[in-house]
């Protein structure tokens, strides 16, 4: 996996994830300052948090199609430049409306990231390494969330919350230069070595996108991903404010505490793909989806119980501990949604189908933060929001058991295929 030609791809995709979540979570860290400076209510902040996902969800799909048509390298290069510029533009916001417009455009820039990572992994890695590769490359995202607290918090306290957004904009623009210079779309054919293994091969006949968009496996994987994102966006957008408003921490303490769930999430996301690929190799006779579903159902269910429990406990230590466990088990499933798409979809459609799944999943980012803000304003506490997030994920994990099955193609056969290594 860590060969000389693949290493630059792995490293730069990992760093892209770090920058992505550093940018994305910066608003939640700076929210107490922004809310005060611009005189915003909790409901308004919830709408601002959600506005990101309007542009983000749409461009999950558009970015996935672009990666199939124009290549993942070019798509991610353009995306990084766009989202970095609009991350910096947050410093120019003067009120509620301007923040919404900037966050929608920022979300459009970030939208293609996960689908382009999936496409690059599909281009560069064989089937029995893809969940591991997706997990490793995406594990930069919780690490970005972890460092955003100290970085944005320190800059905001020492200088201004506006300076923090300009700083992380510069990081993204520097990354784009390295990406364009050092990464290729696909490995050279001469660099690939092949072995022959027995797997259930996905027919490589070009099928219309609508064929996949009607499949229960795609739709219910997307639903599970929706519940994953509901918990993730709840944590990403509202957890810092929860610590300040409900647990009465100051911004300095909050900036440090928010690192804990992100760090354990990094461990979960980095290891989840390896766990799934290990189960896949040990139980090949049970089918490739068995390993994916074992990890997905078990870990999503545990994550749901933990996040629901966090809303019921009375101490800060127990709440933070349960949230940390929830994020850890949640991120153990992070690579699985993409691995399922790569397992059941032909290569030429991986970007588009993955983008569509991600689009449906990220409507949770539109609904969740705004609904949480409303629930907090109406109830005066975060308890109902915690319970709603947990209940949704329990229902989704159970639906995966019933509905996620191998896609039935008009002519499906098992044969020997080449696996690059």
């Amino acid at each position: 996996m860590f060969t000389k030609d693949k290493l630059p791809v792995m490293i730069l995709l990992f760093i892209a994830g770090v920058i992505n979540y550093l940018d994305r979570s910066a608003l939640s860290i700076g929210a107490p300052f922004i809310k005060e400076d611009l005189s915003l209510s909790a409901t308004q902040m919830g709408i601002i948090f959600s506005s990101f996902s309007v542009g983000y969800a749409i461009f999950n799909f558009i970015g996935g199609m672009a990666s199939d048509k124009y290549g993942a390298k070019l798509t991610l290069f353009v995306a990084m430049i766009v989202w970095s510029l609009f991350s910096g533009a947050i410093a120019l916001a003067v009120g509620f409306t301007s923040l919404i417009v900037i966050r929608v455009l920022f979300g459009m820039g970030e939208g293609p990231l996960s689908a382009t990572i999936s496409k690059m992994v599909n281009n560069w890695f064989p089937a029995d390494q893809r969940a591991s590769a997706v997990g490793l490359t995406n594990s930069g995202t919780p690490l970005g969330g972890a460092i955003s607290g100290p970085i944005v918090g320190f800059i905001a306290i020492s200088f201004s919350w506006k300076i923090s957004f300009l700083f992380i904009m510069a990081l993204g623009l520097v990354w784009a230069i390295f990406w364009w210079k050092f990464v290729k779309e696909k490995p050279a054919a001469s660099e690939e070595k092949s072995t022959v293994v027995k797997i259930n091969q996905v027919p490589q006949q070009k099928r219309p996108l609508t064929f996949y968009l009607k499949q229960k496996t795609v739709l219910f994987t997307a639903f599970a991903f929706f519940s994953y994102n509901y918990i993730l966006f709840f944590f990403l957008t509202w957890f810092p404010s929860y610590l300040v408003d409900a647990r009465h921490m100051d911004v300095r303490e909050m900036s440090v505490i928010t690192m804990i769930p992100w760090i354990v999430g990094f461990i979960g996301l980095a290891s989840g793909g390896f766990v799934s690929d290990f189960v896949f190799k040990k139980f090949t006779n049970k089918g490739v989806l068995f390993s994916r579903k074992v990890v997905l159902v078990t870990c999503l269910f545990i994550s749901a119980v933990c996040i629901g429990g966090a809303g019921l406990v009375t101490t800060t230590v127990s709440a933070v501990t349960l949230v940390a466990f929830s994020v850890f088990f949640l991120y153990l499933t992070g690579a699985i949604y993409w691995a399922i798409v790569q397992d059941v979809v032909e290569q030429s459609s991986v970007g588009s189908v993955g983008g569509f799944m991600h689009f449906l999943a990220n409507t949770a980012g539109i609904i969740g933060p705004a609904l949480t803000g409303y629930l907090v304003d109406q109830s005066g506490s975060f308890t109902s929001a915690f319970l709603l997030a947990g209940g949704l994920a329990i229902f989704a994990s159970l639906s995966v058991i019933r509905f996620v099955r191998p896609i039935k193609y008009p002519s499906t056969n098992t044969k020997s295929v080449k696996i690059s290594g």
Side-chain angles (χ1 to χ4, degrees), residues 207-215 353:
R207 299 178 192 278
L209 182 59
T210 52
F211 170 81
Y212 291 106
L213 304 193
K214 294 183 290 186
Q215 300 299 319
V353 177

Side-chain angles (χ1 to χ4, degrees), residues 305-363:
V305 172
C306 290
I307 199 69
L312 299 175
V313 296
T314 57
T315 67
T316 300
V317 171
S318 55
V320 171
T321 300
L322 283 170
V323 169
F325 273 112
S326 179
V327 172
F328 173 74
F329 284 103
L330 186 74
Y331 268 123
L332 275 174
T333 73
I336 309 305
Y337 311 97
W338 299 101
I340 289 174
V341 169
Q342 298 199 29
D343 292 334
V344 302
V345 174
E346 60 195 356
Q347 186 178 42
S348 62
S349 297
V350 161
S352 300
V353 177
F356 173 75
M357 174 191 70
H358 206 210
F359 158 71
L360 292 182
N362 277 289
T363 58

Side-chain angles (χ1 to χ4, degrees), residues 25-97:
S25 56
L27 185 68
S28 62
I29 300 298
F33 298 102
I34 297 169
K35 185 179 176 183
E36 182 179 351
D37 283 359
L38 302 182
S39 302
L40 301 171
S41 68
T43 299
Q44 286 177 314
M45 281 305 302
I47 294 171
I48 291 166
F49 286 141
S50 293
S51 64
F52 162 85
S53 290
V54 174
Y56 184 70
I58 294 170
F59 273 75
N60 291 157
F61 192 19
I62 293 175
M65 292 191 294
S67 68
D68 281 337
K69 185 171 183 179
Y70 302 109
K73 177 182 176 178
L74 176 61
T75 302
L76 186 51
F77 173 74
V78 173
M80 177 65 79
I81 291 174
V82 171
W83 98 52
S84 296
L85 291 174
F86 282 105
S87 176
I90 295 290
L92 304 177
V94 294
F96 177 64
T97 303

